[in-house]
Amino acid sequence: MKKLPKTLLDSFRKVEKLDLTDLQIEEIEPNVFTNGIYIRELYLGLNDIRVLPHGVFHNMRSLELLVLDRNLLEHLPWNIFANTSNLIELSIADNNLGRIDDNTFKNVKNLKQLSLPNNNLSNIDLSLIPSLISANVSSNLLTTLAISVAVVGLDASHNRINTVTGPSNGELESLFLQHNNLTNIAWLKRYSGLIVLDLSYNEIEKVTDNHFKNSYRLEKLYLSNNRLVALNLNSAPIRTLKTLDVRHNHLLVVETNKDQFNTLKELYLDHNAIVKLKLSSINMLQNLTISHNDWDCKNLDELFRNVSKSVIHDSDRSCKVNYKLKQGICCKESDKPYLERLIQLKSPSSDAEMLDSDESNPESELNGLKSDIGRLTKIEELLQDLQTNIAWIKSKMNDDDSPSSTDRPDRP
């Protein structure tokens, strides 16, 4: 059926469900649904429809569910839903939609479920659909996400989102924003009711308890494959948090998160630059990954005493020079591990440059120092939120040098 004729419903004027899926439809005549006043469910998916005529659904006052998945639609007429005020669920997945104008859903007061994944959308303002409960706008070209006031579940993954806007929404439970361009997460304070939050594969550099100070039921937080250099959740831990994933980041110091880690059942720390990890003997961990880090051997021994072997679900296959393998994890013995690791942050190429330079040439030495200062300045910029940690490290070093350090109480 290449073309839907306007006589389609002449003999079926009281039909409530019409399934026209996968009929190779290419064209819809403007008045084809004039007699579809009783239709509640309309399925038009898996066809080759490129254009929806103006007013094609205008007489469908009973329409509650409309499916247009896997067609060739590039745009929606501005008044396409003008008379479908009872529409509850709309799905237009896997099309070529480039933009949905702000007034498209102006008259749709009951729309609760909206599915628009796998299109070419550069704009859609979900905050203009206050009735929305569930939405999927994943795999599009969005740069801004405007969240609706009552939405409970939202998938906006695989876009180009760098800005999140919208009113406060305490009803939002699950938010999937993986594979975007987010650098700032201050907006999270508006969504205190989140249970599951996925921010993996973004460009976030720091996460602190201030970002989650309003969260009262967050259970799963995914932050893998970002640019994290700072993780500070200890002063106000998220007491409901059970899963924390910070794999594949640039974390060096995580010791100050001990209280937060002790609430967890799953903790994923592999592929960072972590030197030490503090866990109490009463931790509740059931799954822990720690491979591909820069562990201090003494701390690793202490960690193994507090965590069962069965809890650690990964391992290192080989170790770098001067590192040893302990229970499948590489570590290095050092008196001042943090100091050593900070020194190692200097690029190896700078050492080669110094070796090639004339040691008696003051200008070469000055250039070398400038290069080192530039690198250290960049590190300092990235570690702005770690100033308290750095101060703690320095005091720890001083304690190690002091003969009376054993008389002082343990630091967190």
Side-chain angles (χ1 to χ4, degrees):
M1 186 184 291
K2 298 290 185 182
K3 184 176 183 179
L4 279 186
K6 61 181 180 181
T7 58
L8 178 68
L9 296 174
D10 284 355
S11 301
F12 306 97
R13 298 193 177 197
K14 292 188 178 182
V15 67
E16 294 186 6
K17 177 179 178 180
L18 181 59
D19 192 343
L20 301 172
T21 303
D22 199 11
L23 295 178
Q24 300 181 7
I25 300 168
E26 295 179 0
E27 184 181 351
I28 300 177
E29 290 194 359
N31 299 317
V32 68
F33 298 118
T34 298
N35 294 323
I37 189 171
Y38 296 108
I39 293 178
R40 299 175 63 183
E41 298 181 15
L42 176 59
Y43 300 88
L44 286 165
L46 285 165
N47 285 292
D48 298 310
I49 303 167
R50 294 179 178 273
V51 176
L52 292 174
H54 285 276
V56 67
F57 303 128
H58 275 202
N59 208 36
M60 303 185 74
R61 294 188 293 274
S62 300
L63 189 63
E64 296 178 357
L65 168 63
L66 175 60
V67 177
L68 287 159
D69 298 348
R70 298 183 68 177
N71 277 282
L72 303 172
L73 294 171
E74 295 184 0
H75 74 281
L76 298 177
W78 67 270
N79 64 343
I80 192 70
F81 302 118
N83 291 336
T84 57
S85 57
N86 290 311
L87 189 64
I88 295 174
E89 184 174 352
L90 173 65
S91 184
I92 319 179
D94 297 281
N95 277 265
N96 298 316
L97 293 175
R99 180 183 177 89
I100 294 182
D101 293 330
D102 290 347
N103 62 354
T104 300
F105 302 106
K106 182 178 180 180
N107 297 318
V108 185
K109 305 298 184 182
N110 298 308
L111 187 63
K112 289 180 170 54
Q113 297 183 48
L114 178 63
S115 182
L116 299 166
N118 296 296
N119 279 282
N120 297 315
L121 287 172
S122 61
N123 177 75
I124 180 171
D125 190 343
L126 298 179
S127 67
L128 297 176
I129 315 175
S131 58
L132 207 58
I133 300 298
S134 174
N136 186 342
V137 290
S138 63
S139 298
N140 279 284
L141 304 175
L142 299 173
T143 57
T144 297
L145 177 66
I147 299 179
S148 180
V149 68
V151 67
V152 174
L154 175 56
D155 186 349
S157 61
H158 294 86
N159 277 281
R160 302 172 181 177
I161 297 167
N162 53 43
T163 303
V164 177
T165 65
S168 295
N169 176 358
E171 301 299 319
L172 185 60
E173 294 182 354
S174 58
L175 180 59
F176 299 96
L177 283 169
Q178 64 269 31
H179 293 275
N180 277 289
N181 298 327
L182 292 167
T183 58
N184 188 301
I185 56 174
W187 47 268
L188 278 172
K189 298 174 186 176
R190 298 197 295 270
Y191 310 108
S192 58
L194 279 168
I195 297 175
V196 179
L197 175 62
D198 194 339
L199 296 170
S200 55
Y201 291 91
N202 277 279
E203 299 176 14
I204 303 165
E205 294 183 354
K206 58 184 178 181
V207 171
T208 72
D209 43 40
N210 188 51
H211 293 129
F212 300 96
K213 66 179 183 180
N214 297 330
S215 298
Y216 67 94
R217 57 176 179 169
L218 185 64
E219 295 181 5
K220 297 181 179 182
L221 176 58
Y222 301 98
L223 290 160
S224 69
N225 293 274
N226 274 276
R227 299 180 179 179
L228 287 180
V229 294
L231 180 68
N232 293 313
L233 298 173
N234 214 55
S235 59
I238 309 165
R239 295 299 178 187
T240 54
L241 196 64
K242 302 302 178 187
T243 300
L244 176 61
D245 185 352
V246 290
R247 293 175 293 174
H248 293 274
N249 279 286
H250 308 295
L251 294 171
L252 174 69
V253 176
V254 297
E255 282 188 85
T256 55
N257 294 277
K258 180 180 177 182
D259 289 347
Q260 181 63 80
F261 290 165
N262 285 334
T263 73
L264 303 176
K265 290 185 177 179
E266 297 179 293
L267 176 58
Y268 304 101
L269 295 170
D270 57 275
H271 292 85
N272 279 281
I274 299 168
V275 178
K276 293 183 177 182
L277 173 62
K278 293 287 187 181
L279 291 173
S280 73
S281 58
I282 58 171
N283 71 83
M284 299 183 293
L285 285 175
Q286 299 174 2
N287 196 350
L288 173 66
T289 62
I290 59 174
S291 66
H292 296 86
N293 277 288
D294 204 356
W295 296 109
D296 170 58
C297 287
K298 291 179 182 177
N299 179 256
L300 201 57
D301 289 336
E302 181 181 343
L303 179 63
F304 289 147
R305 286 194 294 269
N306 290 333
V307 176
S308 169
K309 273 187 180 182
S310 62
V311 169
I312 301 175
H313 290 169
D314 66 338
S315 62
D316 291 313
R317 292 188 177 182
S318 59
C319 299
K320 296 182 291 186
V321 177
N322 297 326
Y323 285 71
K324 61 174 63 176
L325 202 63
K326 286 195 172 188
Q327 295 189 30
I329 302 297
C330 294
C331 66
K332 186 177 183 181
E333 293 182 343
S334 174
D335 292 333
K336 296 182 178 180
Y338 279 119
L339 179 59
E340 225 175 74
R341 285 6 176 234
L342 288 171
I343 292 173
Q344 288 173 359
L345 286 176
K346 186 173 68 173
S347 170
S349 61
S350 66
D351 296 332
E353 290 169 4
M354 291 298 291
L355 289 172
D356 291 339
S357 66
D358 182 356
E359 293 183 1
S360 61
N361 187 337
E363 186 176 351
S364 295
E365 292 183 14
L366 181 60
N367 289 336
L369 287 172
K370 286 181 178 178
S371 177
D372 289 345
I373 290 170
R375 291 187 182 92
L376 290 173
T377 300
K378 179 60 177 175
I379 292 169
E380 186 177 359
E381 289 173 356
L382 294 175
L383 296 177
Q384 288 179 27
D385 258 21
L386 275 176
Q387 292 306 310
T388 55
N389 292 335
I390 293 171
W392 174 77
I393 292 169
K394 289 179 179 179
S395 67
K396 183 71 173 175
M397 292 173 186
N398 292 333
D399 289 349
D400 291 341
D401 290 336
S402 172
S404 60
S405 62
T406 55
D407 297 331
R408 285 190 290 271
D410 291 338
R411 285 176 171 77

